[in-house]
């Protein structure tokens, strides 16, 4: 029974959802809600990248549809994102749209290569405290992104936003059959039209496309000069996109209590970006906000919702563009505020949690949040968080290394306990009483392990210093891996 309870909860398959009216309705409505929320985001990110809004909308359509088939995390939404827009904006600004499309295609190819090389496995090296910081920073960024929509606007924006928040918090207590965000969008859009309420709308964010995306080849010279221009941006885009996508996938895994293939997700993100570039899109990655709308607010669990989000997005902007254009931005702001509140890990900042949590863990979380919010760059924030975690871990581990000394009449025995690596071995040479020891010294490493060349160099320095005093040193108790490393490097590192 214990083994059964420990297994991840199975998620419904596409086939099961298609056979169940209840599940299928949930997936369809979830996809519709996400599609509506994607439109102003895609337009806004296009503006950030300095390109026509159509590039963001086409990218969101192509990536959502492609990742539904190719991705490793069901129900996760991939589309045009602010993180990618910031990375590739200089290309569009300095070299034009064709170079941007070439950058997106190359970035996708790099992501596929990284997926083949197993970069997804590096996720295991990201500590939980960094993950918590990542989630909290995203929640803050989602909320901050809504603030401009609430400043210098008509006063009716505020009651509409408040009404949207009320619907989304109260409706789930009555029924979850229809996603609360969809109800809020429909009711408040209708109210704005019926009562003639003049507030900023989706149509005010930019022009919607009037035709389907077409397959094209970027008009750039295929030369090493072109490669030199676009490759740095393509590499940055690939790394930022994979990092955000894989961490979002890990978050959805935790929320749904189901596993996913991170390697397949890496390959899928790359392929989706390649397709996006060839269809005139600006590229993207997983979207934490829309994914939370899909998974948490709407309860979607299969690839159907992701696929339909892309399809509905295209149908809405091409067929129902006039209707979509009148949706008040205040309603979508309310949706994203609810998403940001639901995304934030409130447990992590409770006084009781902070008292129990080691100071180092809290420091890592705060550092990740602060850097991510300050730079608006998830890759930098997570990178700094990992570095801080590594430094604090190394310092903590280095502090538990112990050296015990016992002296007989003609022999001194030293027992070394703990992990020996660059941080702990730097002080190793100071733990021995060189001039006071007898003519024979035994160093017992049975309670420790050598991890790097720094430790081998430190032991060589200890032996050299004893040799100058005419003392014989014997090292015993090395495990097989330690013995191999020591035997390969000892006496060959120089500087003794």
């Amino acid at each position: 029974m214990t083994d059964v309870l420990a297994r991840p909860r199975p998620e419904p398959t596409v086939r099961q959802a298609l056979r169940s009216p209840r599940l299928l309705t949930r997936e369809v409505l979830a996809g519709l809600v996400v599609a509506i929320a994607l439109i102003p985001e895609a337009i806004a990110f296009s503006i950030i990248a300095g390109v026509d809004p159509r590039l963001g909308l086409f990218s969101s359509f192509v990536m959502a549809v492609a990742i539904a088939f190719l991705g490793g995390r069901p129900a996760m939404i991939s589309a045009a994102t602010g993180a990618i827009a910031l990375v590739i904006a200089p290309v569009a600004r300095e070299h034009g749209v064709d170079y941007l499309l070439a950058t997106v295609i190359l970035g996708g190819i790099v992501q596929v290569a990284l997926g083949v090389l197993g970069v997804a496995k590096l996720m295991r090296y990201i500590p939980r405290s960094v993950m918590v910081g990542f989630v909290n920073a995203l929640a803050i960024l989602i909320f901050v992104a809504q603030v401009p929509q609430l400043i210098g606007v008509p006063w009716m924006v505020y009651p509409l936003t408040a009404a949207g928040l009320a619907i989304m918090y109260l409706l789930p207590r009555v029924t979850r059959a229809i996603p609360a965000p969809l109800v809020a969008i429909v009711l408040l859009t209708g109210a704005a039209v019926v009562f003639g309420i003049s507030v900023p709308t989706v149509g005010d964010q930019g022009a919607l496309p009037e035709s389907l995306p077409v397959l094209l080849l970027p008009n750039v010279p295929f030369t090493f000069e072109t490669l030199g221009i676009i490759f740095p941006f393509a590499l940055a885009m690939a790394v930022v996109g994979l990092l955000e996508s894989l961490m979002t996938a890990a978050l959805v895994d935790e929320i749904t209590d189901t596993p996913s293939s991170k390697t397949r997700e890496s390959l899928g993100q790359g392929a989706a970006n390649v397709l996006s570039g060839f269809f005139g899109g600006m590229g993207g990655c997983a979207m934490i906000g829309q994914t939370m709308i899909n998974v948490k607010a709407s309860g979607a669990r299969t690839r159907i919702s992701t696929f339909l989000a892309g399809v509905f997005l295209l149908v809405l902007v091409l067929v129902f563009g006039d209707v979509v254009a009148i949706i008040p931005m205040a309603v979508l702001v309310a949706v994203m505020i609810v998403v940001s509140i639901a995304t934030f890990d409130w447990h992590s900042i409770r006084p009781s949690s902070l008292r129990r949590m080691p100071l180092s863990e809290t420091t890592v979380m705060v550092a990740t949040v602060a850097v991510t919010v300050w730079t608006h760059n998830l890759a930098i924030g997570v990178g700094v968080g990992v570095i801080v975690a590594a430094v604090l871990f190394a310092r903590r581990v280095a502090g538990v290394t112990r050296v015990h000394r016992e002296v007989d009449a003609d022999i001194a025995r030293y027992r070394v306990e703990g992990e020996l690596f660059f941080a702990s071995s730097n002080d190793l040479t100071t733990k021995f009483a060189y001039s006071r020891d007898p003519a024979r010294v035994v160093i017992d490493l049975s309670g420790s392990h050598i991890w790097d060349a720094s430790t081998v160099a430190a032991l060589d320095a200890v032996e050299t210093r004893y040799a100058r005093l005419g003392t014989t040193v014997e090292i015993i108790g090395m495990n097989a891996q330690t013995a191999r490393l020591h035997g390969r490097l000892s006496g060959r590192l120089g500087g003794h």
Side-chain angles (χ1 to χ4, degrees):
M1 179 63 71
T2 302
D3 292 338
V4 173
L5 292 175
R7 294 174 187 166
R9 185 172 64 247
E11 57 187 7
T13 64
V14 170
R15 181 173 296 180
Q16 289 172 336
L18 290 173
R19 292 177 175 176
S20 169
R22 180 181 62 84
L23 292 179
L24 183 58
T25 300
R26 185 181 68 185
E27 298 293 315
V28 171
L29 294 178
L32 179 58
V33 173
V34 171
I36 294 172
L38 277 174
I39 294 171
E41 296 276 309
I43 295 173
F45 297 148
S46 299
I47 295 171
I48 291 174
V51 297
D52 190 288
R54 288 176 294 180
L55 271 71
L57 291 165
F58 287 162
S59 183
S60 295
F61 159 67
V62 172
M63 292 204 68
V65 171
I67 209 68
F69 294 97
L70 303 173
R73 174 63 258 178
M76 193 167 78
I77 304 297
S78 291
T81 61
I84 299 300
L86 289 170
V87 170
I88 63 176
V91 182
R93 184 172 59 250
E94 297 172 15
H95 303 283
V97 171
D98 284 300
Y99 277 84
L100 180 141
L101 298 180
T103 301
V104 171
I105 294 170
L106 181 58
I109 294 172
V110 173
Q111 286 181 327
V112 171
L114 292 174
V116 172
L117 294 173
V119 71
K121 296 177 182 177
L122 297 178
M123 282 293 295
R124 72 184 69 175
Y125 299 111
I126 298 180
R128 182 185 180 278
S129 51
V130 175
M131 279 291 297
V132 173
F134 163 81
V135 170
N136 290 347
L138 281 174
I140 294 171
L141 289 176
I142 291 171
F143 181 84
V144 170
Q146 313 312 311
V147 173
Q149 300 290 343
L150 298 173
I151 297 176
V153 293
W155 70 271
M156 278 301 298
V157 166
Y158 304 111
L160 279 177
T161 303
L165 292 172
I167 291 172
M168 282 180 282
Y169 273 111
L170 297 176
L171 184 62
R173 299 183 181 183
V174 179
T175 178
R176 292 182 178 271
I178 304 176
L182 180 59
V183 174
I185 291 170
V186 172
L187 288 182
L188 296 182
T189 300
V193 172
V194 171
F195 295 105
I197 301 174
S198 179
V199 291
T201 63
V202 170
D204 297 330
Q205 304 302 302
L208 300 178
E210 298 177 352
S211 62
L212 291 169
V214 295
L215 186 64
L216 55 84
L217 191 66
N219 184 23
V220 298
F222 290 85
T223 62
F224 284 108
E225 181 182 358
T226 300
L227 184 63
I229 292 172
I230 67 176
F231 182 75
F233 297 100
L235 180 61
M237 169 190 162
V239 172
V240 170
L242 277 188
L243 184 61
E244 185 165 352
S245 298
L246 294 177
M247 295 193 74
T248 302
L251 175 62
V252 178
D253 289 352
E254 184 176 338
I255 291 172
T256 62
D257 193 22
T258 57
S260 64
S261 172
K262 305 303 183 295
T263 297
R264 179 176 173 180
E265 187 61 40
S266 302
L267 298 173
Q269 289 289 334
N273 272 307
V274 171
L275 291 171
S276 174
F278 278 123
F279 278 96
M282 57 177 276
C285 60
M287 300 188 75
I288 182 69
Q290 275 66 21
T291 297
M292 290 300 100
I293 291 174
N294 197 45
V295 173
K296 217 165 186 178
S298 302
R301 290 294 182 271
T302 75
R303 299 175 186 275
I304 296 174
S305 59
T306 306
F307 171 75
L308 290 179
V311 173
F312 282 143
L313 170 64
L314 195 63
V315 172
L316 286 172
V317 297
L318 293 182
V319 181
F320 300 102
D322 293 339
V323 177
V324 171
I326 65 174
I327 296 176
M329 284 300 299
V331 186
L332 298 181
V333 167
V335 171
M336 299 310 294
I337 289 176
V338 170
V339 167
S340 70
I341 294 172
T343 301
F344 197 91
D345 186 351
W346 297 100
H347 180 269
S348 66
I349 61 172
R350 290 176 184 168
S352 58
S353 299
L354 294 174
R355 284 195 298 268
R356 287 193 299 267
M357 194 68 64
L359 181 60
S360 60
E361 299 282 321
T362 303
T363 301
V364 170
M365 181 193 72
V366 171
T368 304
V369 171
V371 174
T372 301
V373 173
W374 179 45
T375 63
H376 283 229
N377 190 312
L378 295 168
I380 295 176
V382 171
V384 170
V386 171
I387 292 172
V388 172
V391 170
L392 293 177
F393 174 76
R395 182 179 179 184
R396 188 165 63 250
V397 173
V400 299
T401 302
R402 299 287 183 269
V403 177
H404 305 280
R405 177 176 180 261
E406 295 179 358
V407 182
D408 295 334
D410 58 350
I411 183 171
R413 299 180 184 276
Y414 287 88
R415 178 175 176 81
V416 182
E417 298 176 346
E419 304 302 316
L420 298 176
F421 62 110
F422 62 90
S424 57
S425 61
N426 284 337
D427 293 331
L428 187 62
T429 56
T430 66
K431 305 295 185 180
F432 297 86
Y434 301 96
S435 60
R436 300 198 308 272
D437 283 338
R440 185 183 174 206
V441 171
V442 175
I443 301 176
D444 183 0
L445 297 181
S446 59
S448 60
H449 184 95
I450 295 177
W451 289 102
D452 59 9
S454 296
T455 304
V456 176
L459 289 173
D460 284 353
V462 171
E463 291 186 83
T464 300
R465 190 164 174 180
Y466 271 119
R468 290 174 184 161
L469 298 173
T471 302
T472 302
V473 176
E474 180 184 4
I475 300 177
I476 64 172
M478 289 188 287
N479 59 43
Q481 184 177 345
T482 291
R484 283 196 299 270
L485 182 62
H486 185 267
R488 188 168 67 248
L489 298 180
S490 182
R492 297 177 175 85
L493 297 173
H496 309 304

